[in-house]
Amino acid sequence: MIPYKVLILQLTRMGDIIQTMPLLVRLHEEIPRVHVTFVCVDRFAEIMKAVPLVNRYVKIQPQEAVKLKLPDMDQILNLLAHPFLRESYDLVINLTHDLSSAIIANRINAKEKTGAIAENGSAYLVIKDTWGRYLFASVSNREENSFNLVDIHIGMGKIRHSPVRRYLKTDEKTEERIEKLFAWLSISRDRPLIAFHMGANRLHRTWKLEYFSQLAELLIRHHNAQILLTGSTQEKTLFEEFSAKIPRIFIEKGHIFSLIGSTKMQDLIAVLKRCKLLVSNDTGPIHIAASVGTSTIGIYLSTAYPGETAPYGEGHYVVCPKMECYPCMDEASGFPCGITCRDAITPSTVFKIATKVLTGDSTTEEIHQEEATILKSRFLSNGTLIYEPYDISENKLKQSLFRKNLLRILWDGPLGIPSDFSILSSLPEDEIKRWSLKTKAIFEEVRDAIVFKKHIVNTSDLLRVSSLLIDFFNLSIHSGCAEDIPLTVVKIIQQLTEIQKWAIKNYRSA
């Protein structure tokens, strides 16, 4: 049997590697003869050591990856000289969104390519595939996007979406070693074990240490919990700061354990698999926990935005600030605001969510928190993931959800996936009908202008519908895919017709 050869460029961080793994799982499920070559940073390949999803690797050192960010043509040519990159492929998927990776993707021989490509002589990165253009357009329109990065990656792999669960594993020796470590630490199987990951690659994306300590106290007092701290070697001082803010007796009586700086990558997988819950900032370990089936509560602040980077899987929670300036788009400013969003999420709110997880409470009882939004994940019938507000009683939140969910359905057409209209079930009938009627008229006008080769002078109405769509059209033009725009418009009109039909049928039967 002739293999279907796929090459994936993923030269980013650990969290991104983990968010690429469901794509690898789906490739193997959909194409039994698939053969995968994976290009990544050496130390991040360790995460996939015990999971047989990759046939062979092209590994580069971290210092080489830094040079590629410049870009450094000597480094690019050195990498392209690798024998694996001189072969021909059926599909190249570029999941690294910079110029160097685009140059590399362009020079590899393949029948199809998705993601950014730097074509010779072009002043722009060329993106031929629909999902890739959607991803690049969403970068500057983050609040409109509700597709998880994992689902975007699967779309770029040109395969059908389907939920992927518990896809990260470790080897037996590591499992045995961690079992012995837990016994030596006297970690009880009869008490809930909750992990805290208090660090992040950027300080402005971290929840306050005093809030972590207050949360630990609440969990120990009310749920007899054991708190396990994880982190890198560089984050060892976090334990000292955390310990100074919590009653000493909790440490003396063995309620708190620290593995900060003490676990290798495979160890961390085995450790988090044994936990009932992880509370974490937006960083790699939260994706590890989700990938082994451990429940997570993500604290998303500042530039961390759950639209694309929330943990992949069902039943996870994300808490983020309910502030006009969130998510912050101007990291270069130095945050003159003082990162006030770090004050918005209180320990009592996270404790109430943790209580639901620990007690298995699946009711939708409201958790009131004036300055924060609570989101919970679920898989839709089309196999994609969505994070929805836990409490939509507030009018402002209803308005935000209304627009985001209708746009989500709208994008199903151009992106080629079936629609799950259940995400519209909590929205007002009159507003759905009014929005779909008005939006359909706008796109019919655009369609007619294209058919009669008119120039669309006034795009203000289109911009009010979706700024992401405007950027998507611009990327289509710059990528030499202007011919895709008429079909995209037709698919959007068809989606709007389906929304109208659904609203009539659903509310009539109700």
Side-chain angles (χ1 to χ4, degrees):
M1 184 181 290
I2 300 173
Y4 181 81
K5 294 177 65 179
V6 177
L7 183 137
I8 298 175
L9 287 162
Q10 180 55 283
L11 297 170
T12 49
R13 295 171 298 187
M14 179 180 73
D16 299 287
I17 296 283
I18 299 166
Q19 289 178 293
T20 304
M21 291 179 68
L23 163 62
L24 298 172
V25 172
R26 292 294 298 126
L27 282 168
H28 282 276
E29 290 174 345
E30 292 285 304
I31 312 169
R33 59 191 177 89
V34 72
H35 180 282
V36 178
T37 301
F38 201 77
V39 185
C40 65
V41 178
D42 189 6
R43 62 191 176 98
F44 294 147
E46 176 71 14
I47 197 78
M48 296 193 288
K49 181 179 178 181
V51 187
L53 296 173
V54 174
N55 297 89
R56 57 189 189 178
Y57 290 90
V58 177
K59 300 177 185 178
I60 69 171
Q61 297 302 312
Q63 60 270 24
E64 295 171 353
V66 171
K67 289 180 182 178
L68 286 174
K69 291 181 182 295
L70 298 177
D72 184 315
M73 280 307 299
D74 289 337
Q75 192 61 49
I76 290 172
L77 293 173
N78 285 339
L79 185 56
L80 284 166
H82 193 288
F84 294 169
L85 301 189
R86 298 168 71 90
E87 296 179 10
S88 296
Y89 291 87
D90 293 286
L91 175 63
V92 168
I93 309 171
N94 181 13
L95 301 179
T96 311
H97 317 301
D98 59 27
L99 180 56
S100 291
S101 65
I103 293 171
I104 293 166
N106 179 57
R107 299 198 181 190
I108 296 172
N109 186 32
K111 294 177 183 176
E112 287 188 281
K113 298 178 182 181
T114 62
I117 304 162
E119 291 187 342
N120 296 333
S122 174
Y124 297 94
L125 293 181
V126 171
I127 310 158
K128 296 292 186 181
D129 66 297
T130 306
W131 278 99
R133 292 203 296 275
Y134 177 89
L135 174 60
F136 272 74
S138 69
V139 170
S140 54
N141 300 281
R142 300 175 76 194
E143 290 184 88
E144 277 194 37
N145 172 48
S146 58
F147 282 98
N148 190 274
L149 188 60
V150 167
D151 287 325
I152 295 174
H153 284 170
I154 291 172
M156 292 172 70
K158 294 184 167 293
I159 46 177
R160 182 175 55 89
H161 289 85
S162 184
V164 180
R165 298 179 173 90
R166 300 178 186 271
Y167 53 89
L168 191 58
K169 296 177 176 63
T170 189
D171 56 83
E172 288 185 14
K173 288 185 178 179
T174 301
E175 294 283 354
E176 292 171 1
R177 184 169 64 253
I178 296 304
E179 197 67 37
K180 291 177 182 177
L181 174 64
F182 275 34
W184 181 75
L185 290 172
S186 298
I187 294 177
S188 172
R189 291 178 177 270
D190 300 323
R191 297 169 58 194
L193 181 62
I194 301 173
F196 285 3
H197 194 89
M198 303 180 292
N201 63 331
R202 294 182 178 90
L203 178 63
H204 59 83
R205 294 161 70 110
T206 59
W207 203 34
K208 290 184 174 181
L209 278 177
E210 62 197 75
Y211 284 175
F212 272 110
S213 64
Q214 290 172 31
L215 176 61
E217 188 168 350
L218 287 168
L219 290 168
I220 293 168
R221 292 191 186 280
H222 292 274
H223 294 294
N224 193 29
Q226 303 165 104
I227 307 299
L228 182 66
L229 307 178
T230 63
S232 65
T233 304
Q234 293 78 16
E235 295 168 340
K236 280 189 173 182
T237 57
L238 292 179
F239 177 61
E240 298 170 11
E241 296 176 44
F242 175 86
S243 301
K245 299 177 186 297
I246 200 163
R248 188 69 189 171
I249 193 171
F250 286 164
I251 297 174
E252 293 172 351
K253 289 204 169 185
H255 296 303
I256 296 171
F257 308 90
S258 176
L259 292 179
I260 297 177
S262 303
T263 52
K264 296 178 181 178
M265 193 77 74
Q266 292 295 310
D267 296 335
L268 185 59
I269 299 170
V271 164
L272 291 176
K273 189 169 76 170
R274 285 164 171 75
C275 295
K276 180 77 172 179
L277 171 67
L278 169 71
V279 181
S280 173
N281 301 302
D282 176 23
T283 188
I286 199 170
H287 300 294
I288 293 178
S291 70
V292 297
T294 297
S295 297
T296 67
I297 301 175
I299 312 294
Y300 278 57
L301 304 165
S302 183
T303 58
Y305 192 62
E308 64 271 9
T309 62
Y312 178 79
E314 197 155 48
H316 298 289
Y317 290 88
V318 164
V319 194
C320 49
K322 194 185 298 178
M323 302 172 73
E324 292 292 337
C325 58
Y326 175 80
C328 180
M329 300 297 288
D330 188 18
E331 189 172 341
S333 68
F335 306 104
C337 64
I339 323 177
T340 55
C341 59
R342 296 181 78 206
D343 299 315
I345 300 165
T346 64
S348 62
T349 296
V350 181
F351 170 72
K352 289 173 185 175
I353 301 170
T355 297
K356 283 190 165 292
V357 174
L358 295 176
T359 60
D361 181 4
S362 59
T363 64
T364 55
E365 180 184 351
E366 295 177 6
I367 302 174
H368 293 289
Q369 167 64 358
E370 291 185 3
E371 296 184 3
T373 298
I374 302 167
L375 306 171
K376 187 178 181 182
S377 64
R378 70 179 175 101
F379 283 114
L380 299 177
S381 61
N382 58 23
T384 64
L385 187 76
I386 192 169
Y387 271 81
E388 297 175 307
Y390 184 79
D391 173 18
I392 59 167
S393 60
E394 186 190 344
N395 286 334
K396 185 177 179 182
L397 192 55
K398 280 183 178 179
Q399 292 169 4
S400 172
L401 179 66
F402 173 81
R403 184 170 184 270
K404 179 167 281 192
N405 282 10
L406 281 165
L407 288 175
R408 170 87 179 218
I409 295 287
L410 201 66
W411 274 106
D412 287 345
L415 295 174
I417 56 177
S419 294
D420 184 339
F421 288 97
S422 68
I423 66 174
L424 303 183
S425 59
S426 61
L427 306 181
E429 174 190 7
D430 289 344
E431 290 188 42
I432 292 175
K433 290 179 177 177
R434 188 161 47 247
W435 183 89
S436 57
L437 188 66
K438 182 178 179 181
T439 305
K440 190 176 180 182
I442 291 170
F443 280 98
E444 285 175 341
E445 183 180 336
V446 172
R447 179 199 59 196
D448 293 344
I450 292 171
V451 169
F452 296 107
K453 300 189 184 302
K454 295 177 183 177
H455 179 61
I456 307 171
V457 178
N458 183 12
T459 59
S460 58
D461 285 344
L462 197 57
L463 190 60
R464 278 197 291 270
V465 174
S466 169
S467 57
L468 192 156
L469 188 64
I470 295 289
D471 286 344
F472 178 84
F473 284 160
N474 285 332
L475 280 169
S476 299
I477 294 168
H478 294 320
S479 298
C481 302
E483 68 277 4
D484 291 351
I485 295 177
L487 182 58
T488 300
V489 172
V490 168
K491 288 179 177 178
I492 287 173
I493 292 171
Q494 290 171 346
Q495 282 297 101
L496 289 163
T497 301
E498 292 303 311
I499 291 172
Q500 290 173 326
K501 288 179 181 177
W502 176 87
I504 292 169
K505 180 182 178 180
N506 185 70
Y507 287 101
R508 181 182 293 162
S509 61

